[in-house]
Amino acid sequence: MVSAAEQLVSNLNFAAFAKADELKKRIWFTLGALLVYRLGTYIPIPGVNPQALADLFQQNQSGILGMFNMFSGGAVGRMAIFALNIMPYISASIIIQLLTTVSPHLEQLKKEGEQGRRQINQYTRYGTVVLAALQGYGIAVGLEGAGNAVIDPGMFFRLTTVITLVGGTVFLMWLGEQITARGVGNGISLIIFAGIVAQLPSAIAGTLELGREGALSTTLIIGILVMAVVVIAVIVFMERAQRRLLVQYPKRQVGNRMFQGDASHLPLKLNSAGVIPPIFASSLLLLPITVANFSAGQGPEWLTTVTTMLGRGAPLHIAIYVALIVFFAFFYTAVVFNPEETADNLKKYGGFIPGIRPGKRTAEYIDYVLTRITVVGAIYLAAVCVLPEVLVSTAGVPFYFGGTSLLIVVSVTMDTVAQVQSHLLAHQYEGLIKKARLRGARRR
């Protein structure tokens, strides 16, 4: 028997979308906010030489700098006001979440519900400003040491660069929060998504141009496109994969009525952490070497060595990247899913997993299953993000065909479409309730 929800989902169409005024407002707000973000990636910071900057970026775009430029939507190559993008906010979020596990004060705030969450978010914002200021100052010093990229080097240039980049990051942080609250989808993820998608057409055109010039063989280009399609298919399959735990509810008597026992499922996603681990891992890899790429060959010898060892496709870079992805896959899963809380909720409503005693044993069983499927999820994330990167770096193809960018684009698209469908579903439910009330009023 088809449920009412399934009937509504099957009836979702453009007519329902046309009537959903609230959803249309949210979509227009999201598109407008992303347009503002894209415009900001073309406004350069004051005091830089555009031509010298373009030459500098051309020499370094194949390394970590190219990855940073992808996440910022090309803002790094133009040294725009949004050059730092949202990465300092992500780094601050990582630090605060790590401190939550060791700081009693932060742990207590986490348990205080909405009020505690707001206070933790405020600490994250403060951390974002500090990290953005440090990175902004490092970029300013790096630009001054990179030939004639700066028109008038000095303390005034450093100060204006720090203020401009910090202001750009804080504005994007606010814009992401507004998209989440008043738009559709996760604002921070959509900002990164918009930057990657905006650069995608030029990357495809550049790859085809390399093929026309003979730098890349036609077979290699076709192979890369096939690889991209296969990676997208794997991402869609794995992101939808679930392990469903059977939950049964006993018979209940309410007053004089006896309610039959029911059975449902507790869905555990194979990749509960989503796209967060690759973004966190990339952010931490970018943080310590932002300046190193600008000052390569002019700074200390150890700095040059670190830059080389952490270059894209280098063994150390891949090893650290995989380790960070696996770590954050487990860490973020532990943050977003609490087995003890889930077991307590099941016990409160009389639900139980067959063969498992309610309470502590149920929490241990859920944690056991979640850990096992998270191992598979972490391996999937690492493989999708690293294997294409190895192939792409050896072939010299633009970074946009890499696994990380495809994972972000596909995952954010799926999440946003799911939110749009949920809004449409809620709108249709409201329509059914209004019709039922009208029918009831007419009968009276």
Side-chain angles (χ1 to χ4, degrees):
M1 184 175 179
V2 181
S3 66
E6 289 174 342
Q7 288 179 347
L8 284 175
V9 171
S10 64
N11 292 330
L12 291 179
N13 50 37
F14 287 107
F17 177 78
K19 295 177 183 177
D21 294 331
E22 176 66 21
L23 176 59
K24 286 191 288 186
K25 289 179 182 178
R26 285 178 171 272
I27 291 176
W28 280 115
F29 179 84
T30 303
L31 293 176
L34 293 179
L35 179 62
V36 171
Y37 159 65
R38 288 303 303 156
L39 289 175
T41 61
Y42 287 90
I43 303 175
I45 62 175
V48 296
N49 184 340
Q51 187 57 48
L53 190 64
D55 295 340
L56 173 66
F57 182 77
Q58 191 68 30
Q59 298 170 4
N60 294 276
Q61 65 176 348
S62 60
I64 295 293
L65 202 58
M67 185 190 298
F68 205 173
N69 192 51
M70 179 202 71
F71 284 124
S72 66
V76 171
R78 295 182 284 270
M79 199 47 65
I81 58 175
F82 293 158
L84 291 180
N85 199 257
I86 205 70
M87 288 304 167
Y89 176 76
I90 294 174
S91 300
S93 299
I94 298 170
I95 294 171
I96 294 297
Q97 288 179 357
L98 287 172
L99 288 176
T100 303
T101 60
V102 297
S103 170
H105 174 64
L106 292 177
E107 189 174 358
Q108 183 62 33
L109 285 176
K110 187 179 177 182
K111 295 178 181 178
E112 290 180 1
E114 183 65 22
Q115 187 65 30
R117 189 180 64 82
R118 289 180 181 176
Q119 188 64 46
I120 290 176
N121 287 342
Q122 196 65 27
Y123 290 153
T124 305
R125 295 187 186 105
Y126 293 150
T128 300
V129 173
V130 173
L131 289 178
L134 292 174
Q135 287 185 271
Y137 186 80
I139 288 177
V141 173
L143 285 173
E144 287 182 346
N148 57 348
V150 179
I151 297 174
D152 186 18
M155 186 53 66
F156 181 74
F157 170 75
R158 297 180 185 182
L159 183 63
T160 55
T161 300
V162 169
I163 293 174
T164 304
L165 293 179
V166 170
T169 298
V170 171
F171 176 78
L172 285 184
M173 178 177 63
W174 174 82
L175 192 66
E177 292 175 353
Q178 294 301 308
I179 293 174
T180 302
R182 303 170 60 184
V184 178
N186 182 285
I188 304 300
S189 299
L190 280 172
I191 287 174
I192 299 175
F193 166 86
I196 296 172
V197 171
Q199 296 292 96
L200 197 57
S202 60
I204 295 174
T207 303
L208 295 177
E209 181 64 22
L210 289 174
R212 190 182 67 83
E213 295 174 354
L216 291 177
S217 66
T218 306
T219 306
L220 179 60
I221 294 176
I222 294 174
I224 291 170
L225 293 177
V226 170
M227 179 194 72
V229 172
V230 171
V231 170
I232 290 173
V234 170
I235 291 171
V236 172
F237 176 79
M238 297 296 282
E239 290 298 321
R240 290 180 177 273
Q242 294 178 345
R243 168 71 190 276
R244 295 184 176 183
L245 299 180
L246 179 64
V247 178
Q248 291 186 341
Y249 294 90
K251 293 181 180 180
R252 293 180 300 148
Q253 183 173 357
V254 180
N256 294 326
R257 299 184 62 183
M258 178 67 73
F259 290 89
Q260 187 66 29
D262 195 10
S264 64
H265 292 91
L266 176 65
L268 300 177
K269 286 190 65 176
L270 193 67
N271 178 27
S272 301
V275 75
I276 297 299
I279 295 178
F280 277 15
S282 300
S283 179
L284 284 187
L285 272 176
L286 293 170
L287 185 62
I289 53 176
T290 301
V291 184
N293 284 276
F294 286 105
S295 59
Q298 300 183 19
E301 186 177 348
W302 65 266
L303 192 61
T304 306
T305 305
V306 169
T307 307
T308 305
M309 294 176 68
L310 290 177
R312 197 178 106 217
L316 182 61
H317 169 78
I318 293 173
I320 295 177
Y321 194 35
V322 170
L324 288 174
I325 288 175
V326 172
F327 169 75
F328 282 118
F330 281 93
F331 175 76
Y332 203 73
T333 299
V335 169
V336 299
F337 191 93
N338 188 341
E340 293 183 1
E341 184 178 341
T342 304
D344 289 340
N345 290 334
L346 287 176
K347 187 177 181 180
K348 184 189 302 183
Y349 293 102
F352 64 93
I353 299 174
I356 307 296
R357 184 176 298 176
K360 183 179 179 182
R361 290 293 180 88
T362 299
E364 291 174 351
Y365 178 72
I366 294 174
D367 183 60
Y368 169 74
V369 174
L370 190 64
T371 301
R372 287 168 66 91
I373 63 175
T374 303
V375 170
V376 180
I379 293 172
Y380 141 73
L381 283 176
V384 164
C385 294
V386 171
L387 291 180
E389 295 305 314
V390 175
L391 298 175
V392 167
S393 61
T394 53
V397 181
F399 179 76
Y400 307 96
F401 293 99
T404 307
S405 53
L406 289 176
L407 178 66
I408 293 172
V409 169
V410 175
S411 299
V412 173
T413 301
M414 290 173 62
D415 290 342
T416 306
V417 169
Q419 285 206 23
V420 170
Q421 288 181 338
S422 67
H423 280 291
L424 284 176
L425 196 62
H427 175 75
Q428 288 199 323
Y429 266 126
E430 290 175 3
L432 287 176
I433 293 172
K434 289 179 181 178
K435 288 180 181 179
R437 287 176 178 173
L438 287 173
R439 288 174 183 171
R442 287 173 183 174
R443 288 174 183 173
R444 291 175 187 173

